[in-house]
Amino acid sequence: MPLEWIAIVAAAAYGAVAGSLLPRAVYRLSVEPGQPWRSGCPQGHPLGGGVRGVLGPAVCGPCAGSQEPPGAYGRARRVPAALGALICAGLTVTVGLRPELAVWLLVVPVALLLATVDLAVMRLPDMLTLPLAAGTAALLGLAALLPGAGGSWGRALLGGLALAGAFFVLFLISPRAVAFGDVKLALSVGVALGWYGWGVLFAGAFLGFLSAAGYGFALMATGRARRNSAMAFGPFMVLGALAGVVLGGLAV
């Protein structure tokens, strides 16, 4: 089997495993602003600390072992696992075996977690957005030192500042349309898109707004939302970033 196919299969397997471990984190972080992160399952069993208390299936050990399981909390593992596998395999196909591919694969689970939490409660936790921005910038800096890198680290940093600045202006103009969590997420999105160039940055940001507008119009057309209804924007920022990285990977 050619090396490229081995990499694609390995990336898909990694994405499936990483996605299957997200439901517990989604459940714990999907709380309204001002509320503490959940520390126990709906039946009151403590989820504990450490990695096992955060990552895992959408059911705790005591509930899974009971004779009459009360049902899983959060969403089933199949959806995030399938999305993780599809996205990671697609990135491997389009980006190729360049150093930055490892960065994108590490970012995917965090991006999926942020998008899912934002869809659930329209909240982008600082404990994810800020470390994601710093981690993406640092890892791309390491990737830039390796031969075969397809982007520019300096431009990535400028892209993060530029997009976050643009979102901050939108936040000042209309806080209902763009939340401050979106501004923080824009740092990571801008770094990722800026790596491949200003054209990719513009395209990814535009596709994010375009997909959000299309979704909003669909909700209004079906009577599920009004013009002044609030809508989570984080998932569309992630979608735009993903589309931009794919375009950038294909163009290099």
Side-chain angles (χ1 to χ4, degrees):
M1 180 181 293
L3 181 60
E4 290 80 5
W5 281 104
I6 295 176
I8 294 170
V9 172
Y14 157 79
V17 172
S20 69
L21 295 177
L22 294 181
R24 184 171 296 176
V26 171
Y27 167 76
R28 297 192 72 165
L29 296 178
S30 295
V31 295
E32 298 297 331
Q35 298 296 317
W37 311 125
R38 294 188 176 105
S39 59
C41 78
Q43 304 304 311
H45 302 130
L47 295 175
V51 175
R52 294 183 62 182
V54 177
L55 300 179
V59 63
C60 67
C63 288
S66 63
Q67 293 182 350
E68 297 181 0
Y73 53 80
R75 297 188 178 185
R77 287 189 292 177
R78 294 180 181 179
V79 174
L83 284 176
L86 181 63
I87 293 172
C88 289
L91 287 172
T92 305
V93 171
T94 54
V95 174
L97 301 181
R98 299 190 182 95
E100 65 265 24
L101 175 63
V103 182
W104 308 145
L105 295 181
L106 290 173
V107 165
V108 165
V110 184
L112 281 176
L113 177 57
L114 277 167
T116 308
V117 171
D118 199 21
L119 276 176
V121 292
M122 288 194 292
R123 183 181 186 183
L124 293 167
D126 289 347
M127 64 182 297
L128 295 177
T129 54
L130 298 179
L132 177 62
T136 303
L139 290 172
L140 284 177
L142 293 176
L145 299 176
L146 300 175
S152 166
W153 186 53
R155 189 175 55 219
L157 298 181
L158 290 175
L161 293 176
L163 192 62
F167 268 77
F168 183 66
V169 172
L170 293 176
F171 167 73
L172 293 178
I173 295 173
S174 179
R176 281 186 57 84
V178 175
F180 197 59
D182 299 326
V183 177
K184 298 170 187 175
L185 180 58
L187 276 170
S188 303
V189 173
V191 168
L193 294 174
W195 171 262
Y196 286 123
W198 296 108
V200 171
L201 175 64
F202 176 81
F206 175 75
L207 289 172
F209 279 102
L210 183 63
S211 59
Y215 181 71
F217 282 128
L219 290 180
M220 289 189 292
T222 56
R224 290 182 291 171
R226 300 180 179 178
R227 289 187 60 184
N228 59 349
S229 297
M231 186 179 72
F233 192 53
F236 303 101
M237 295 176 66
V238 171
L239 182 61
L242 175 62
V245 168
V246 167
L247 291 175
L250 290 173
V252 175

